Amino acid sequence: NDQISMDARRRDEVATEAQRLLVTAERLSLRQGGVHIDDPAMRGISLAQLERINRIASVQCARDQWVSSASGEPLSADTLNVHDLLEHLIAPATSGRGCSLVELIADEPAAQEPRHYCCHWFGMPFSHLLRCLRTHVADHKLDPRATVYWVAWAALSTQDAARAREPEGDVELEQLPFCRALHHSSTLLAALDVGGTFFSRLWPLLELHLALSTHPRGGNYRVDVYAAAPGRWDAKAVGLVDGVARSDNAVVAKLLREEFF
């Protein structure tokens, strides 16, 4: 029994070390890779790439004992939000190069063209945002490596974000990167936080309004709404899908899937 316990501990130690080395390699590749994508509206990010960022952030958060600048509380992989990611990971990795996160991690510019637009409150836990995206991909039977979302904080560099907040001259709303990315997309995914703070924030409401009122596709544009469900045993989100998802083999399946929303 002692030998079995020692073998089990050794396997756990080897697995932990392998994971640590993997994340270290990925973190180094953040500093070495990258491409240039001139148009911010074309800087989408795949779910697989977001999962990679989550792995790096989770390890660094625990190792460096990240603390929220808003509350002063210690952070964990389950509680850190986009503001924390920007402060502790994305800004340090991109500021010296003057690029966006997407440009830093992409291998091929054409592969980053977004087909979906994701809007959410930046204070939402990143783990909950990932739940929404994972479930969206699963419900529609999409490939996480090829399903590309436009996500503002990943697409915009620090300079791009400053220009979007304070445009120079008379710039029409439709010319801003987020609006062009929205009009280029075929689906908007609204990822809601558990407390519903999404509906008290101006920016996500503007995105939702533009999707419903100005999109060139008009009534053919899809709007899917997903919310993280922390109490679910399977760690999934719940989504209200515009129409029927590919995983819904009948209308009753849609009703059963959405009843927890």
Side-chain angles (χ1 to χ4, degrees):
N1 288 340
D2 290 342
Q3 184 62 44
I4 293 174
S5 298
M6 290 177 62
D7 290 344
R9 283 198 299 271
R10 180 57 182 160
R11 284 195 299 271
D12 290 342
E13 290 171 359
V14 170
T16 301
E17 181 62 21
Q19 178 66 16
R20 187 179 297 114
L21 290 172
L22 173 64
V23 172
T24 299
E26 289 183 325
R27 189 164 62 248
L28 288 173
S29 71
L30 283 184
R31 302 193 187 107
Q32 297 167 355
V35 298
H36 175 68
I37 304 174
D38 187 59
D39 186 358
M42 292 295 102
R43 298 176 193 159
I45 189 167
S46 70
L47 175 58
Q49 289 170 324
L50 286 168
E51 297 281 18
R52 176 187 170 197
I53 295 301
N54 184 52
R55 290 195 299 273
I56 296 172
S58 298
V59 171
Q60 285 199 236
C61 179
R63 187 198 66 186
D64 299 338
Q65 298 181 339
W66 288 359
V67 174
S68 168
S69 58
S71 67
E73 295 293 323
L75 294 168
S76 70
D78 293 327
T79 61
L80 65 90
N81 59 36
V82 171
H83 294 299
D84 302 316
L85 276 179
L86 287 168
E87 177 183 354
H88 294 285
L89 179 65
I90 298 173
T94 60
S95 58
R97 301 177 61 167
C99 67
S100 66
L101 174 65
V102 169
E103 292 173 290
L104 194 65
I105 65 174
D107 296 317
E108 174 57 48
Q112 304 305 131
E113 182 179 352
R115 293 299 180 190
H116 309 275
Y117 186 102
C118 178
C119 69
H120 66 99
W121 171 48
F122 278 24
M124 176 185 191
F126 186 49
S127 60
H128 290 188
L129 174 62
L130 286 176
R131 287 187 184 189
C132 292
L133 293 172
R134 290 172 189 142
T135 309
H136 183 252
V137 163
D139 287 348
H140 292 285
K141 295 187 176 181
L142 302 171
D143 181 351
R145 294 166 298 180
T147 305
V148 181
Y149 299 87
W150 196 86
V151 185
W153 51 267
L156 301 178
S157 66
T158 303
Q159 295 82 359
D160 294 326
R163 285 192 291 267
R165 287 192 297 269
E166 298 181 8
E168 297 180 0
D170 296 327
V171 179
E172 297 291 333
L173 184 65
E174 290 76 11
Q175 295 176 309
L176 294 177
F178 85 94
C179 198
R180 290 188 290 107
L182 178 63
H183 287 173
H184 179 78
S185 66
S186 60
T187 308
L188 178 137
L189 168 62
L192 308 185
D193 57 290
V194 175
T197 307
F198 177 101
F199 295 106
S200 67
R201 292 296 186 268
L202 179 61
W203 197 259
L205 292 180
L206 173 62
E207 293 171 307
L208 195 55
H209 166 72
L210 292 173
L212 295 172
S213 64
T214 70
H215 199 280
R217 293 174 181 258
N220 293 322
Y221 186 62
R222 293 179 61 110
V223 175
D224 294 341
V225 182
Y226 278 73
R232 284 186 61 129
W233 64 270
D234 54 5
K236 283 188 175 182
V238 181
L240 295 180
V241 172
D242 192 349
V244 179
R246 292 186 65 187
S247 63
D248 299 329
N249 52 21
V251 174
V252 67
K254 173 182 171 68
L255 295 175
L256 291 172
R257 178 177 55 75
E258 295 182 347
E259 68 176 343
F260 297 102
F261 192 89

